[in-house]
Amino acid sequence: MVSLLRTLRSARRVGLREWWRQMQYIGDAKSGTYIGKDQFGNRYYENRNAEEEIPGRHRWVDYAQHFYHASQVPPEWHSWIQHIRKDPPTQDSIMQSSRQAWQQEWTENLTGTRGAYKPYNTVAPKINAWEPKVTSRG
């Protein structure tokens, strides 16, 4: 549960419109330092003030899309949010130079959408269902 003082402080810092949006989407009032943006338009924030944030919850993502899910976060940003990497990808020199020509761009999981992978089979089935044969009486 968010304290009233923290909620009012966050509303003053981020503005009423952004505060209302946060309450609707994440159910929490957060304010922090803008860290960066990924190719999907997701924005990443951090608040190092130990008095305001619960430890482990001081980094968060503000999704660009209304219908969001965790696969919309690229791996490099996921490793920063989960404290696997200390520096965000925008400041990490290894992440900046490690992009290889053979690597594809990150795409979100498309399961349940029109873009989902649907395999098809061109091989005849090994077992066929029984179909009765009707003969005329005669």
Side-chain angles (χ1 to χ4, degrees), residues 24-44:
Q24 297 300 313
Y25 282 103
I26 62 175
D28 193 7
K30 289 184 168 276
S31 60
T33 307
Y34 174 77
I35 300 298
K37 189 175 184 180
D38 65 10
Q39 68 263 27
F40 296 121
N42 300 327
R43 297 175 300 181
Y44 298 89

Side-chain angles (χ1 to χ4, degrees), residues 17-130:
R17 184 176 180 181
E18 180 63 23
W19 173 81
W20 180 255
R21 184 178 171 280
Q22 285 180 358
M23 293 304 286
Q24 297 300 313
Y25 282 103
I26 62 175
D28 193 7
K30 289 184 168 276
S31 60
T33 307
Y34 174 77
I35 300 298
K37 189 175 184 180
D38 65 10
Q39 68 263 27
F40 296 121
N42 300 327
R43 297 175 300 181
Y44 298 89
Y45 295 93
E46 182 175 34
N47 187 353
R48 301 294 281 163
N49 189 355
E51 298 164 359
E52 289 184 15
E53 295 294 333
I54 298 169
R57 290 188 170 184
H58 61 275
R59 294 177 179 172
W60 69 93
V61 58
D62 184 14
Y63 292 97
Q65 295 182 9
H66 178 70
F67 299 106
Y68 57 87
H69 50 86
S71 75
Q72 292 172 343
V73 176
E76 57 270 9
W77 282 103
H78 172 77
S79 63
W80 176 75
I81 285 178
Q82 298 296 323
H83 301 279
I84 297 169
R85 290 188 169 276
K86 179 182 171 190
D87 297 326
T90 55
Q91 298 171 1
D92 194 352
S93 61
I94 295 172
M95 293 297 291
Q96 298 280 333
S97 63
S98 69
R99 190 83 184 147
Q100 302 293 327
W102 54 267
Q103 289 178 318
Q104 293 181 344
E105 286 293 321
W106 174 256
T107 57
E108 63 182 277
N109 185 355
L110 299 174
T111 301
T113 65
R114 298 182 125 239
Y117 174 72
K118 294 183 180 85
Y120 62 94
N121 194 356
T122 58
V123 180
K126 294 180 181 177
I127 301 173
N128 294 321
W130 177 73

Side-chain angles (χ1 to χ4, degrees), residues 2-11 28-30 52-53:
V2 179
S3 70
L4 180 62
L5 181 62
R6 180 173 173 253
T7 302
L8 294 174
R9 189 180 309 132
S10 178
D28 193 7
K30 289 184 168 276
E52 289 184 15
E53 295 294 333

Side-chain angles (χ1 to χ4, degrees), residues 124-137:
K126 294 180 181 177
I127 301 173
N128 294 321
W130 177 73
E131 294 181 16
K133 296 180 182 168
V134 180
T135 57
S136 61
R137 294 185 175 191

